[in-house]
């Protein structure tokens, strides 16, 4: 069943938001193409469909990955720094060895007027990685 790439991208963003891994889940039904959304926060549960009883059946359902599962966290920031902020590469590497790395990285991007370039770089890398993930998992995309 073909699935909208935008829906899978939205699901990836949902899974990747928040402070910890596993706070939010999105699960694709391979047969229908429907994405089930789940959050560990009970006040959000009423916004989402109830999960099917057989959601743990790996043949029928596939968990949408977190950005980190696709190498879109620290490795991507380092790749960006290597390519576009070569003079700041050591600082970026140091930033990502401490807590609060993304806030510090965003501050550096702002100082270097590289925020828009980072967003474009990240969006392109995310699309490439997610399309590759779909292909590896035999997900037919509608768009």
């Amino acid at each position: 069943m073909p699935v909208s790439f935008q829906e899978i991208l939205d699901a990836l963003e949902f899974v990747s938001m928040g402070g910890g891994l596993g706070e939010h889940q999105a699960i694709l039904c391979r047969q229908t193409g429907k994405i089930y959304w789940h959050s560990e926060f009970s006040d959000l549960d009423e916004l989402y469909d109830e999960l099917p009883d057989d959601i743990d059946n790996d043949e029928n359902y596939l968990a949408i990955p977190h950005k980190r599962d696709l190498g879109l966290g620290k490795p991507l920031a380092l790749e960006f720094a290597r390519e576009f902020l070569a003079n700041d590469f050591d600082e970026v590497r140091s930033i990502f060895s401490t807590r609060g790395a993304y806030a510090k990285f965003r501050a550096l991007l702002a100082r270097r007027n590289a925020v828009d370039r980072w967003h474009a770089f990240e969006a392109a890398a995310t699309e490439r990685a997610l399309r590759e993930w779909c292909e590896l998992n035999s997900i037919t995309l509608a768009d």
Side-chain angles (χ1 to χ4, degrees):
M1 170 65 73
V3 182
S4 163
F5 178 77
Q6 186 60 52
E7 286 182 33
I8 294 176
L9 180 58
D10 290 345
L12 173 79
E13 294 296 333
F14 175 75
V15 169
S16 301
M17 71 181 194
L21 290 171
E23 286 181 0
H24 306 289
Q25 295 175 303
I27 301 148
L28 173 68
C29 176
R30 292 177 179 273
Q31 295 172 336
T32 66
K34 178 179 176 60
I35 296 176
Y36 292 89
W37 306 75
H38 176 72
S39 175
E40 289 298 315
F41 302 108
S42 61
D43 59 334
L44 296 177
D45 279 344
E46 70 259 8
L47 300 175
Y48 310 114
D49 293 327
E50 191 169 320
L51 297 177
D53 292 334
D54 65 340
I55 200 78
D56 293 326
N57 181 331
D58 292 340
E59 289 183 30
N60 293 336
Y61 298 96
L62 179 64
I64 303 295
H66 189 284
K67 283 185 173 186
R68 289 182 207 140
D69 298 329
L70 299 178
L72 298 171
K74 175 182 175 179
L76 186 64
L78 292 174
E79 182 181 335
F80 178 82
R82 196 174 288 114
E83 188 170 335
F84 296 105
L85 301 172
N87 292 337
D88 297 304
F89 180 78
D90 289 336
E91 181 179 352
V92 172
R93 189 174 52 208
S94 175
I95 285 172
F96 278 93
S97 66
T98 62
R99 291 182 57 93
Y102 279 98
K104 294 172 188 171
F105 181 59
R106 284 190 297 272
L108 174 66
L109 292 172
R111 286 194 311 272
R112 299 294 185 251
N113 295 314
V115 173
D116 291 340
R117 182 179 282 172
W118 163 249
H119 287 300
F121 183 84
E122 182 183 35
T126 299
E127 181 170 345
R128 276 191 312 275
L130 191 53
R131 286 187 184 277
E132 182 179 308
W133 178 84
C134 287
E135 188 175 318
L136 287 171
N137 287 284
S138 302
I139 298 169
T140 303
L141 297 173
D143 49 355

